[in-house]
Amino acid sequence: MSTKSKPSGVTQTRFPPTRMPALVILLSTATILAIFISFSTLSLNISSHSTTSNLHAAPFNADEIRVQCMSLRNLPGPSQSFLSRESSDRYEPGTNATLIRHAIIFTGEKDGNVTIRGDILLDKGIIKSIGKVPRWMVERIPNLTIIDADGAWVTPGLVDLHSHLGILSVPVMSGAADINSPRGPILPGLRSIDGLNTHDDAFELSMAGGVTSAQILPGSANAIGGQAFMVKLRRTLENSPTSMIIEPPHNLDGSKPNTDHLHWRHLKQACGENLRGYGTRMDSVWALRSAYNEARRIKNIQDEYCSKVEAGLWGSLNGPFPENLKWEMLVDVLRGRVRISNHCYEAVDLDAMIRLSNEFEFHIASFHHASDAWLVPDLLKRMWGGAPAVALFATNHRYKREAFRGSEFASRVLSDAGIPVIMKSDHPVINSRYLIYEAQQAYHFSLPANLALASVTSTPAAVAGLSHRIGILKEGADADVVMWDSHPLQLGATPVKVWIDGIPQIPVRSKTGKDKKIEVGKGKESDEWRQVPDVPNWDKERKEAIQWEGLPPLRGRTNGEKVMFTGVKQVWRKAMNGSVEQVYSASADLGAVIVENGKIICTGVPCLHSSDASDIIDLHGGAISPGLMSYGSPLGLEEIAGEMSTGDGEPHDAFKTNIPNVLDDSGGVLRAMDALMFGTRNALTAYRSGVTFATSSLAKPFYVSGSGAHVIAGLSTTFRTGSAHAMERGALVQDVVALHVVVGRPHPLLGQGVSVSTQIAGLRRLLYGWEGRDQETGLWFRRAAEGVIPLVIEVGNADIMASLLILKAEVEDKIGSRMRMVFGGAAEAHLLAEEIGNAGIGVILSPARPFPLTWDQRRILPGPPLSNDTALVTLMRHGVTVGLGVREAWEARNTRFDIQWAALESNGRINEQEKYALASSNLEDLLGIREIDWEMADMVAYDGGQAFDLSSKVVTVISPERQTVDFF
Ligand SMILES: *[C@@H]1O[C@H](CO)[C@@H](O)[C@H](O)[C@H]1NC(C)=O
Ligand SMILES: *[C@@H]1O[C@H](CO)[C@@H](O)[C@H](O)[C@H]1NC(C)=O
Ligand SMILES: *[C@@H]1O[C@H](CO)[C@@H](O)[C@H](O)[C@H]1NC(C)=O
Ligand SMILES: *[C@@H]1O[C@H](CO)[C@@H](O)[C@H](O)[C@H]1NC(C)=O
């Protein structure tokens, strides 16, 4: 948790002991003492036993010992008869049975290949019948709820194999961050369930995204971080963490194992960068080897003991069955009873873990993050006991050094190699409410549809050893079911209904017991939404990615002459007033567009007859539209978020009074322009995804693993994402854009930063003009006060926004000006929508879809299926100009899909023109970007669809200003 930690990645971001003051302090001396005591009294001493043959009378508890020895051979897994059970152990009396009729059911079976049309009957917490449900079965059930799905898609509840729900709960507070222990690299005795906060606001949000179960993994700051647990997200009758566990392992509460059905146990391991707190990679692997060596020694002693028991050599036994509480988990690993989730990124780390697995003969069920896995499939296959599964993010890559070669094509490459692929959230790194979006993106980048859906259902369930009950729809499995408003691989797919153990979770039941009536999926009535969307072909890009080991050149070929586009369905252009308008729509025949020197000179069917183009590109029903803008992340200011040496470095913080004398400026106002770096992979990836412009500031978007924010964040800059360097023509669009400040409560874990009242007092002073204009600070704040440049305030909390509204009125009154104030981030802005609208303040929502990460951001308007409205539509309804932003540089590429999600969640209340505005003209207005001339704006050509379609792919960027066309 230093300022150096990367902004993304709770699991990737370590809490190394030397750098985690907050958490260390939180563990009182008494706690530390208690841990010590329990370990020393509970660990039994194991000594080697005499092997002298010594036939003696059996002790009084001989049977018990025999049973215990025999049970060592049990392997986990359900009994033969499991699926013919009559009811679930999780069934809650009083739950009515439900019959879902006329559904298209993705069952999750056979790698996700099985889809059936029919009905599904949920009763007693299980799936009683699926497909053709016999009438007699339905007739004898009292209180049956019948749902007509009317052809909607039904899938198993989603399974998130990598989550920190409850152990890094939201809003994040120091009192409930129980994710990494500072006590050593090897901690197999720790259990995530001991830190599981049942009051995490995210449980309901994640269920609203169709997630019904998750593996709660300890963090990755330890080589062995502790035991993980598979839980269901719903509130149970008992309302306790333990009652959320799916198939609790017997060891949990000291109960005897059920020999008929031994439950799997789960363990978190890690390797690589996050273990820096305990030394180098060499130290970590040695720590793991030493640990497994100890576990093997204990296992051998146990086996030896039991061979004597079985031979009746009672006299040679030296004491009770040798057990060791500290190492028993790893002994169980060696006995094949544990599913290991191993956080591990690079080839060097994967290789070490696979050697470890072969040396000690145990299997690792899944590698997580695993940025290099797709580059070393043969290595993975050398794992003891067969290749592991690989759990990935779709496009969240490059955030730290070991993630630099991560690729959007990894899931397809791995699945081609026969390796099971899982998409995971690492919640709250990615809000697990949008786990399905990860599957959609993987599908967009060529993971087959069946595997994309399986990657969030049946595959993770199988890897967790639970495919007899979750991630799958079959008779006898748990009744965890999601009914969607569209095909789940369509962008914006939203659950209409969610059941867990047959109990309805979505729609949410209000405290008075009535289902909240929320509108879901308006505008998706037509049949096309029920189809799996088309996706582009990425064969060439995938091949190049492999060839270049994850770092393919991202710059395209440039043509400065004449290019003809055929198969054009739509053309959108900027109008003189800056807004984006449709200027061409093909009727029956698709049209053509001719570009010369970067300018469109002909649009329509007649252009097809021009024949002197040097390049002819078929867009296959695609579109040409203005390039989008990204705002809010450090795009263009860093290469790798987690590596200081690849970015601008730490700026000075005026509120800590350490501005260097040489600046001779009270606020130390800096310019992002001075920090720009071109050609970063995130910028070029964004460029190739239709994001041709970016405005970046030095304001660090607030993120839990990031630093405390700097209040005065300086002046932003607008640049072209595709440019090679600042001197290139058109590279710098506008050197100084807006003045940025960050106002918020202290960081919940670091606790640093000055008070909100100090921040606002400082702003008041500067806006009142009490600082001389002969200095940068005085000058720029004066300009902001006068409304010459916008003042963009990163702020989440509505109370702080209200204070800022008052401050704005005071300043305007005093100066006689009209300030151009903008709220960025703005998670709670909808609470003041009317006042913000009346004050003429703009809002840049970032992230586009809200998440209550901190106290300042906790009162979100979640949108369907939890609320009719979203923050976006609420603000727009009150006349607020709204733009959408991102927090991290890798996200910039997803701008077009993020817009589509936001639009689809609005239940049809945002039209095409408004979609473009969200990441172009509105941002330009709000930030005060004057220099993007409507005639000179970059245009993007999409093959196979429009900018916002999952089916489309950027093929070229047309640049009138540079008089070029870039081909990818
Ligand atoms: C699923 O379908 C694909 C495509 O038809 C096929 O290649 C694959 O073998 C199938 N998998 C199973 C387990 O049936
Ligand atoms: C049916 O519902 C009623 C009313 O909630 C309840 O009293 C009764 O026990 C239910 N019957 C069964 C078999 O669940
Ligand atoms: C179960 O069904 C009965 C009869 O329709 C109804 O009165 C009762 O409220 C239902 N119970 C629940 C928990 O929905
Ligand atoms: C949501 O909108 C629908 C349709 O307009 C309406 O029937 C319902 O009452 C609304 N729900 C809430 C909670 O406002």
Side-chain angles (χ1 to χ4, degrees):
M1 297 308 297
S2 75
T3 50
K4 280 178 237 159
S5 347
K6 58 171 224 64
S8 154
V10 170
T11 40
Q12 303 92 346
T13 302
R14 40 282 94 177
F15 295 76
T18 49
R19 292 197 207 152
M20 44 167 308
L23 289 190
V24 172
I25 291 161
L26 285 167
L27 285 167
S28 68
T29 328
T31 325
I32 295 167
L33 219 56
I35 291 169
F36 249 102
I37 291 165
S38 60
F39 269 122
S40 51
T41 51
L42 289 175
S43 335
L44 293 177
N45 187 30
I46 300 171
S47 51
S48 344
H49 299 274
S50 146
T51 49
T52 341
S53 165
N54 207 345
L55 220 53
H56 267 247
F60 71 95
N61 60 345
D63 282 348
E64 205 179 300
I65 298 173
R66 270 194 212 101
V67 168
Q68 181 166 24
C69 282
M70 264 157 60
S71 77
L72 296 184
R73 297 206 189 100
N74 289 344
L75 286 177
S79 62
Q80 292 277 318
S81 60
F82 182 87
L83 291 174
S84 46
R85 63 194 172 143
E86 283 296 311
S87 75
S88 168
D89 54 337
R90 305 186 53 81
Y91 169 63
E92 293 196 349
T95 309
N96 288 343
T98 302
L99 177 68
I100 306 166
R101 310 199 57 191
H102 308 129
I104 309 177
I105 305 167
F106 167 87
T107 70
E109 291 179 296
K110 299 207 167 114
D111 284 348
N113 279 340
V114 183
T115 299
I116 47 184
R117 285 171 187 265
D119 305 344
I120 178 164
L121 176 64
L122 319 179
D123 190 20
K124 300 276 188 296
I126 64 173
I127 293 167
K128 265 279 180 327
S129 177
I130 185 167
K132 216 168 153 47
V133 176
R135 182 185 279 249
W136 62 264
M137 197 183 266
V138 172
E139 277 170 355
R140 66 173 196 188
I141 297 177
N143 293 355
L144 179 70
T145 306
I146 298 178
I147 308 275
D148 191 346
D150 194 21
W153 278 86
V154 162
T155 68
L158 307 188
V159 179
D160 190 353
L161 197 69
H162 189 140
S163 178
H164 304 293
L165 269 168
I167 61 171
L168 189 57
S169 46
V170 296
V172 172
M173 292 196 227
S174 65
D178 292 287
I179 178 160
N180 285 305
S181 165
R183 287 181 205 294
I186 304 288
L187 300 165
L190 305 197
R191 294 164 163 176
S192 65
I193 198 73
D194 291 331
L196 191 90
N197 168 23
T198 55
H199 306 298
D200 187 340
D201 280 0
F203 283 118
E204 182 174 287
L205 294 170
S206 298
M207 286 190 285
V211 180
T212 55
S213 8
Q215 176 167 231
I216 310 302
L217 292 170
S220 52
N222 315 101
I224 295 182
Q227 299 164 31
F229 291 83
M230 291 292 301
V231 304
K232 292 214 189 175
L233 271 45
R234 75 174 168 90
R235 176 187 294 241
T236 63
L237 216 51
E238 189 180 279
N239 206 1
S240 66
T242 302
S243 59
M244 294 167 77
I245 301 173
I246 311 168
E247 302 200 341
H250 65 88
N251 325 53
L252 193 59
D253 58 1
S255 61
K256 290 273 175 276
N258 175 355
T259 50
D260 193 32
H261 179 178
L262 190 67
H263 293 164
W264 282 104
R265 304 178 75 189
H266 307 272
L267 183 70
K268 172 75 179 282
Q269 281 190 180
C271 41
E273 287 183 22
N274 287 14
L275 305 175
R276 279 282 180 255
Y278 300 106
T280 62
R281 285 182 158 82
M282 296 181 287
D283 290 297
S284 304
V285 178
W286 171 245
L288 283 163
R289 290 185 63 223
S290 309
Y292 277 109
N293 192 51
E294 184 60 15
R296 183 165 62 184
R297 194 178 73 80
I298 294 165
K299 175 176 175 284
N300 288 342
I301 291 168
Q302 290 178 347
D303 290 347
E304 210 176 290
Y305 182 96
C306 286
S307 338
K308 285 178 191 160
V309 168
E310 275 158 31
L313 303 174
W314 298 102
S316 62
L317 296 181
N318 196 359
F321 179 76
E323 276 183 298
N324 183 299
L325 190 60
K326 184 170 170 191
W327 298 110
E328 62 82 28
M329 184 65 183
L330 296 192
V331 174
D332 255 6
V333 170
L334 299 180
R335 293 195 186 284
R337 300 165 169 204
V338 179
R339 296 282 172 131
I340 297 177
S341 291
N342 205 140
H343 159 122
C344 207
Y345 281 80
E346 280 191 289
V348 58
D349 303 310
L350 298 166
D351 186 50
M353 289 304 106
I354 282 162
R355 264 188 274 112
L356 187 76
S357 94
N358 282 298
E359 180 177 358
F360 294 96
E361 303 189 339
F362 68 92
H363 186 243
I364 293 170
S366 51
F367 280 127
H368 292 233
H369 304 300
S371 300
D372 275 9
W374 65 295
L375 299 170
V376 291
D378 292 338
L379 166 64
L380 300 186
K381 289 176 184 169
R382 283 205 291 104
M383 165 83 73
W384 192 85
V390 175
L392 298 165
F393 293 131
T395 53
N396 183 356
H397 304 299
R398 297 180 291 280
Y399 43 81
K400 60 172 162 173
R401 201 201 60 84
E402 60 188 5
F404 201 54
R405 289 165 195 268
S407 170
E408 60 273 47
F409 305 116
S411 55
R412 168 65 186 268
V413 174
L414 286 164
S415 73
D416 280 353
I419 290 168
V421 172
I422 291 164
M423 305 314 294
K424 47 91 189 182
S425 73
D426 195 3
H427 178 98
V429 172
I430 284 177
N431 173 1
S432 64
R433 181 176 175 190
Y434 299 109
L435 181 62
I436 195 71
Y437 186 24
E438 293 297 296
Q440 291 161 3
Q441 292 173 57
Y443 170 62
H444 173 79
F445 289 110
S446 305
L447 184 64
N450 62 305
L451 294 179
L453 279 180
S455 78
V456 289
T457 55
S458 49
T459 309
V463 168
L466 289 171
S467 53
H468 52 290
R469 56 189 304 168
I470 61 171
I472 199 138
L473 298 178
K474 62 183 174 189
E475 280 166 28
D478 287 10
D480 299 351
V481 181
V482 183
M483 190 173 117
W484 300 87
D485 69 344
S486 68
H487 188 289
L489 292 178
Q490 290 276 5
L491 289 172
T494 301
V496 178
K497 291 182 186 294
V498 176
W499 293 263
I500 300 183
D501 300 318
I503 306 169
Q505 306 298 320
I506 301 290
V508 171
R509 198 152 270 219
S510 71
K511 299 282 179 213
T512 56
K514 285 226 158 43
D515 279 359
K516 274 199 199 161
K517 287 242 174 320
I518 304 296
E519 200 159 32
V520 181
K522 196 169 167 204
K524 300 185 189 173
E525 293 79 11
S526 72
D527 193 51
E528 69 181 290
W529 288 99
R530 301 259 161 104
Q531 311 295 325
V532 62
D534 289 335
V535 284
N537 182 312
W538 298 99
D539 289 353
K540 172 177 144 277
E541 290 83 353
R542 190 169 65 249
K543 214 172 126 211
E544 282 173 9
I546 296 172
Q547 248 164 18
W548 292 83
E549 293 194 61
L551 305 176
L554 296 173
R555 255 175 234 294
R557 164 177 75 88
T558 294
N559 180 332
E561 290 148 33
K562 202 163 183 181
V563 182
M564 174 154 76
F565 296 92
T566 61
V568 180
K569 198 165 178 185
Q570 294 182 12
V571 178
W572 293 75
R573 297 206 68 175
K574 285 202 151 196
M576 221 177 302
N577 69 4
S579 72
V580 177
E581 283 166 12
Q582 187 164 9
V583 296
Y584 174 73
S585 171
S587 40
D589 295 331
L590 297 174
V593 166
I594 295 178
V595 172
E596 192 168 0
N597 296 326
K599 282 204 179 63
I600 294 181
I601 56 166
C602 179
T603 304
V605 176
C607 320
L608 278 168
H609 305 300
S610 167
S611 58
D612 57 342
S614 50
D615 275 293
I616 299 178
I617 308 281
D618 187 351
L619 294 185
H620 305 99
I624 297 179
S625 57
L628 301 173
M629 176 177 292
S630 182
Y631 167 78
S633 78
L635 190 69
L637 303 176
E638 66 183 20
E639 179 74 65
I640 303 175
E643 290 288 336
M644 284 289 259
S645 67
T646 72
D648 183 44
E650 243 355 78
H652 297 280
D653 189 348
F655 279 77
K656 290 186 192 147
T657 65
N658 62 350
I659 299 295
N661 285 339
V662 65
L663 291 182
D664 186 26
D665 178 36
S666 62
V669 167
L670 303 175
R671 301 180 184 205
M673 182 185 68
D674 296 335
L676 271 183
M677 36 197 293
F678 284 84
T680 63
R681 295 196 74 80
N682 284 330
L684 293 176
T685 304
Y687 187 61
R688 295 174 70 117
S689 311
V691 178
T692 55
F693 301 105
T695 300
S696 295
S697 80
L698 298 165
K700 291 246 165 75
F702 182 86
Y703 197 71
V704 160
S705 57
S707 56
H710 301 273
V711 182
I712 297 178
L715 302 161
S716 51
T717 192
T718 301
F719 63 99
R720 268 200 172 75
T721 53
S723 295
H725 54 76
M727 308 301 286
E728 204 179 73
R729 179 175 178 160
L732 277 179
V733 177
Q734 188 170 322
D735 49 3
V736 169
V737 176
L739 178 61
H740 295 254
V741 295
V742 182
V743 180
R745 292 173 213 288
H747 191 288
L749 301 180
L750 303 175
Q752 56 172 231
V754 295
S755 71
V756 173
S757 46
T758 311
Q759 296 165 39
I760 294 181
L763 280 185
R764 180 177 293 117
R765 179 177 171 277
L766 295 172
L767 291 171
Y768 270 40
W770 295 341
E771 191 68 30
R773 283 190 208 211
D774 50 344
Q775 285 184 325
E776 290 277 287
T777 301
L779 177 71
W780 292 107
F781 273 90
R782 188 70 186 185
R783 287 188 179 167
E786 287 168 352
V788 177
I789 61 165
L791 178 66
V792 182
I793 308 178
E794 187 78 16
V795 55
N797 179 267
D799 288 308
I800 302 179
M801 289 179 197
S803 301
L804 294 168
L805 284 170
I806 295 167
L807 176 63
K808 175 173 180 283
E810 281 172 17
V811 171
E812 289 175 351
D813 196 41
K814 178 169 180 294
I815 299 188
S817 65
R818 184 94 175 133
M819 285 179 68
R820 292 154 70 191
M821 193 180 269
V822 176
F823 292 154
E828 295 188 352
H830 59 98
L831 296 175
L832 286 177
E834 191 179 343
E835 291 75 10
I836 289 173
N838 290 342
I841 291 178
V843 169
I844 303 176
L845 290 173
S846 160
R849 296 178 307 285
F851 184 64
L853 188 64
T854 63
W855 185 257
D856 268 356
Q857 303 160 342
R858 76 192 186 286
R859 295 174 293 182
I860 62 166
L861 188 54
L866 298 175
S867 66
N868 275 339
D869 287 337
T870 62
L872 178 58
V873 293
T874 305
L875 290 164
M876 284 171 67
R877 195 165 57 231
H878 287 93
V880 179
T881 303
V882 188
L884 296 183
V886 295
R887 289 174 313 184
E888 297 179 52
W890 64 267
E891 295 177 280
R893 72 167 319 163
N894 292 335
T895 301
R896 63 198 190 105
F897 296 153
D898 286 343
I899 291 173
Q900 183 74 330
W901 262 90
L904 289 167
E905 285 190 333
S906 79
N907 277 326
R909 286 178 284 179
I910 292 178
N911 64 32
E912 289 299 305
Q913 199 178 357
E914 287 166 333
K915 282 195 222 170
Y916 283 105
L918 290 170
S920 62
S921 50
N922 286 5
L923 283 181
E924 290 159 30
D925 284 354
L926 294 174
L927 296 166
I929 298 159
R930 303 171 308 273
E931 321 280 337
I932 302 179
D933 184 274
W934 63 282
E935 280 188 297
M936 289 303 198
D938 283 353
M939 300 282 285
V940 180
Y942 297 88
D943 185 333
Q946 267 218 74
F948 309 112
D949 297 340
L950 203 62
S951 62
S952 72
K953 170 183 177 180
V954 173
V955 285
T956 68
V957 173
I958 303 159
S959 183
E961 178 156 6
R962 286 175 292 172
Q963 304 183 1
T964 55
V965 178
D966 289 342
F967 291 79
F968 308 120

